[in-house]
Amino acid sequence: MWEPTMAGVLRLPSGRLVRGRGLRRPLPEGPAPTFALYLLGHEPPPVTWETRWLRWPDFWLPSDRTAAGDALCEAWVRAEAERVEIACAGGYGRTGTALACLAVLDGVPGHEAVAYVRRHYARCAVETPWQRRFVSRFR
Protein backbone atom coordinates (compact mmCIF):
# COMPACT_ATOMS: atom_id res chain seq x y z
CA MET A 1 0.00 0.00 0.00
CA TRP A 2 0.94 3.65 -0.24
CA GLU A 3 1.97 5.50 2.89
CA PRO A 4 -0.52 8.24 3.78
CA THR A 5 2.39 10.64 4.38
CA MET A 6 3.76 10.27 0.83
CA ALA A 7 3.43 13.31 -1.42
CA GLY A 8 0.36 13.21 -3.64
CA VAL A 9 -1.36 10.40 -1.74
CA LEU A 10 -5.03 11.04 -1.00
CA ARG A 11 -6.66 9.18 1.88
CA LEU A 12 -10.34 8.59 1.18
CA PRO A 13 -12.79 8.41 4.11
CA SER A 14 -12.76 4.59 3.96
CA GLY A 15 -8.98 4.59 4.41
CA ARG A 16 -8.25 3.71 0.78
CA LEU A 17 -5.10 5.46 -0.46
CA VAL A 18 -4.73 6.71 -4.04
CA ARG A 19 -1.73 8.56 -5.44
CA GLY A 20 -2.37 11.45 -7.77
CA ARG A 21 0.41 12.92 -9.86
CA GLY A 22 1.42 14.81 -12.97
CA LEU A 23 3.19 12.77 -15.63
CA ARG A 24 5.31 15.79 -16.61
CA ARG A 25 7.17 15.36 -13.33
CA PRO A 26 9.53 12.48 -12.52
CA LEU A 27 8.18 9.33 -10.93
CA PRO A 28 8.09 9.90 -7.15
CA GLU A 29 10.31 7.92 -4.83
CA GLY A 30 8.85 4.84 -3.22
CA PRO A 31 7.08 1.80 -4.57
CA ALA A 32 5.67 1.75 -8.07
CA PRO A 33 1.92 1.52 -8.54
CA THR A 34 0.38 -1.87 -9.20
CA PHE A 35 -2.37 -0.21 -11.26
CA ALA A 36 -2.60 3.23 -12.85
CA LEU A 37 -5.38 5.13 -14.56
CA TYR A 38 -4.00 7.68 -17.03
CA LEU A 39 -6.19 10.57 -18.15
CA LEU A 40 -4.72 11.99 -21.33
CA GLY A 41 -5.74 13.15 -24.79
CA HIS A 42 -3.23 10.69 -26.28
CA GLU A 43 -2.06 7.21 -25.38
CA PRO A 44 0.47 7.27 -22.50
CA PRO A 45 3.98 5.86 -22.79
CA PRO A 46 4.45 2.25 -21.69
CA VAL A 47 5.27 1.44 -18.07
CA THR A 48 5.99 -1.79 -16.21
CA TRP A 49 2.74 -1.84 -14.19
CA GLU A 50 -0.83 -2.48 -15.28
CA THR A 51 -2.57 0.59 -16.71
CA ARG A 52 -5.82 1.78 -18.14
CA TRP A 53 -6.05 4.83 -20.38
CA LEU A 54 -9.00 7.18 -20.65
CA ARG A 55 -9.08 9.65 -23.51
CA TRP A 56 -9.54 12.88 -21.58
CA PRO A 57 -8.38 16.14 -23.24
CA ASP A 58 -6.68 18.72 -21.03
CA PHE A 59 -9.14 21.08 -19.27
CA TRP A 60 -12.15 19.08 -20.52
CA LEU A 61 -14.11 15.99 -19.60
CA PRO A 62 -13.62 12.33 -20.55
CA SER A 63 -14.50 11.57 -24.16
CA ASP A 64 -16.52 8.52 -23.10
CA ARG A 65 -18.30 9.12 -19.79
CA THR A 66 -19.49 5.51 -19.48
CA ALA A 67 -15.92 4.23 -19.86
CA ALA A 68 -14.79 6.86 -17.37
CA GLY A 69 -17.33 5.71 -14.80
CA ASP A 70 -16.22 2.09 -15.26
CA ALA A 71 -12.53 2.98 -14.99
CA LEU A 72 -13.04 5.12 -11.89
CA CYS A 73 -15.04 2.33 -10.24
CA GLU A 74 -12.26 -0.12 -11.05
CA ALA A 75 -9.64 2.22 -9.57
CA TRP A 76 -11.72 2.69 -6.40
CA VAL A 77 -12.24 -1.07 -5.93
CA ARG A 78 -8.57 -1.86 -6.57
CA ALA A 79 -7.42 0.86 -4.15
CA GLU A 80 -8.71 -1.25 -1.28
CA ALA A 81 -5.80 -3.69 -1.66
CA GLU A 82 -3.47 -2.29 -4.35
CA ARG A 83 -1.28 0.76 -4.99
CA VAL A 84 -3.44 2.78 -7.39
CA GLU A 85 -2.22 5.87 -9.19
CA ILE A 86 -4.35 8.41 -11.06
CA ALA A 87 -2.42 10.77 -13.32
CA CYS A 88 -2.72 13.32 -16.09
CA ALA A 89 -0.08 15.65 -17.51
CA GLY A 90 -0.15 18.26 -14.73
CA GLY A 91 -1.76 16.30 -11.90
CA TYR A 92 -4.45 18.82 -10.94
CA GLY A 93 -7.40 19.25 -13.31
CA ARG A 94 -8.19 15.81 -14.68
CA THR A 95 -6.46 14.01 -11.82
CA GLY A 96 -8.27 16.13 -9.24
CA THR A 97 -11.58 15.54 -11.00
CA ALA A 98 -11.00 11.77 -10.99
CA LEU A 99 -9.95 11.80 -7.33
CA ALA A 100 -13.09 13.75 -6.46
CA CYS A 101 -15.16 11.11 -8.27
CA LEU A 102 -13.40 8.43 -6.21
CA ALA A 103 -14.35 10.41 -3.10
CA VAL A 104 -17.99 10.28 -4.26
CA LEU A 105 -17.71 6.51 -4.69
CA ASP A 106 -16.27 6.42 -1.18
CA GLY A 107 -19.29 8.20 0.30
CA VAL A 108 -18.47 11.91 0.08
CA PRO A 109 -21.53 13.79 -1.23
CA GLY A 110 -21.00 15.06 -4.80
CA HIS A 111 -21.40 18.70 -3.78
CA GLU A 112 -18.60 18.29 -1.18
CA ALA A 113 -16.15 16.11 -3.12
CA VAL A 114 -14.18 18.90 -4.83
CA ALA A 115 -13.62 20.64 -1.49
CA TYR A 116 -12.54 17.32 0.04
CA VAL A 117 -9.93 16.76 -2.67
CA ARG A 118 -8.71 20.36 -2.50
CA ARG A 119 -8.32 20.03 1.28
CA HIS A 120 -6.59 16.63 1.25
CA TYR A 121 -4.76 16.49 -2.11
CA ALA A 122 -4.14 19.88 -3.76
CA ARG A 123 -5.72 23.32 -3.36
CA CYS A 124 -5.85 23.81 -7.13
CA ALA A 125 -7.40 20.41 -7.95
CA VAL A 126 -10.37 20.39 -10.36
CA GLU A 127 -9.68 23.35 -12.62
CA THR A 128 -12.81 24.14 -14.61
CA PRO A 129 -16.51 24.73 -13.90
CA TRP A 130 -17.48 21.75 -16.09
CA GLN A 131 -15.09 19.50 -14.16
CA ARG A 132 -16.75 20.62 -10.90
CA ARG A 133 -20.18 19.96 -12.42
CA PHE A 134 -19.04 16.51 -13.62
CA VAL A 135 -18.07 15.61 -10.04
CA SER A 136 -21.31 16.96 -8.55
CA ARG A 137 -23.33 14.80 -10.96
CA PHE A 138 -21.11 11.71 -10.77
CA ARG A 139 -23.10 8.54 -9.95
Side-chain angles (χ1 to χ4, degrees), residues 11-12 21-23 30 32 36-37 40 50-51 56 61 73 76 86 89-91 95-96 119 122 124 126 133 136:
R11 179 186 290 277
L12 294 167
R21 78 176 179 106
L23 294 171
L37 178 58
L40 298 166
E50 186 180 353
T51 66
W56 192 329
L61 297 174
C73 285
W76 179 78
I86 307 266
T95 296
R119 193 169 44 253
C124 57
V126 191
R133 190 169 42 252
S136 71

Side-chain angles (χ1 to χ4, degrees), residues 43-61:
E43 193 166 351
V47 291
T48 58
W49 49 87
E50 186 180 353
T51 66
R52 186 164 176 181
W53 166 51
L54 279 179
R55 185 178 300 278
W56 192 329
D58 201 6
F59 296 105
W60 291 100
L61 297 174

Side-chain angles (χ1 to χ4, degrees), residues 86-134:
I86 307 266
C88 64
Y92 299 109
R94 294 168 284 184
T95 296
T97 302
L99 290 173
C101 289
L102 293 187
V104 170
L105 291 171
D106 209 60
V108 176
H111 66 279
E112 296 175 14
V114 171
Y116 182 89
V117 170
R118 286 178 174 170
R119 193 169 44 253
H120 298 286
Y121 170 68
R123 286 181 295 155
C124 57
V126 191
E127 296 173 317
T128 68
W130 41 91
Q131 289 173 339
R132 287 191 300 277
R133 190 169 42 252
F134 181 79

